[in-house]
Amino acid sequence: MSAREQILERLRSALHDNPPVPHIPRHYREHSGLDREERIQLLMDRLVDYKAGVTVVDEAGLAPRIAELLAGAHSYVVPEGLDGGWLADAEAAAPGRRRVDTLEEPLSVAELDAVDAVVTASAVAVAETGTIILDGSPDQGRRAISLVPDHHICVVRSDHIAGILPEALRRLDGTRPLTWISGPSATSDIELERVEGVHGPRNLDVIILRS
């Protein structure tokens, strides 16, 4: 018998003799019981704790707020599926700054490093932990575009805010490339000196869009 056949035979034997999986009790909380306003307020509190900027706007206030946050940026990148209306005021104030990242012609790491900011949407947010999750959808783009530029402007729809993690997980497709963001990138050395921007953007601004 060859080595390959031996390995396959062992796999068949292990699968054949594999006992049924025992029931695993799950007694953790599955629902937060928070209403929409409570979820918004809790998410805001957590984001402020993480030293992120946070603003709540309605649809009419979204484009002006994005333009304000991009006022000092010489260039910025957006995923190809982002709503162009969100950037209308920024484009009017300073045309020609926008770069679009596409799957067919993705920007290189060097090009991403040269832009000042990135604007994305988000898949879901967890109020209790202050976590924002991107899943690589067209309005969020590749993971690289939210990690390389120094300033991330992220739009979170209010109806995409879950109270606790189990509620958020039910809204996600676990086979997609998920990026979990809890505040600006930060780490501490052995002497507990906080250093920002090591593993991602140093600056995170979250815009909660009431819907």
Side-chain angles (χ1 to χ4, degrees), residues 93-145:
R97 294 182 301 164
R98 179 169 59 175
R99 302 287 305 276
V100 180
D101 186 85
T102 70
L103 293 178
E104 293 74 20
E105 297 182 9
L107 299 176
S108 68
V109 173
E111 289 175 309
L112 289 173
D113 191 43
V115 300
D116 296 320
V118 57
V119 184
T120 73
S122 57
V124 66
V126 186
E128 186 175 66
T129 62
T131 303
I132 299 168
I133 305 172
L134 279 58
D135 67 1
S137 293
D139 60 358
Q140 297 154 52
R142 298 181 297 136
R143 179 177 287 123
I145 71 170

Side-chain angles (χ1 to χ4, degrees), residues 8 10 24 32 34 40 42 57 62 87 119 122-123 152 177 181 193:
L8 291 175
R10 290 175 183 175
I24 300 174
S32 67
L34 301 175
I40 290 174
L42 182 56
V57 301
L62 180 57
L87 306 165
V119 184
S122 57
H152 185 187
I181 303 166
E193 292 290 334

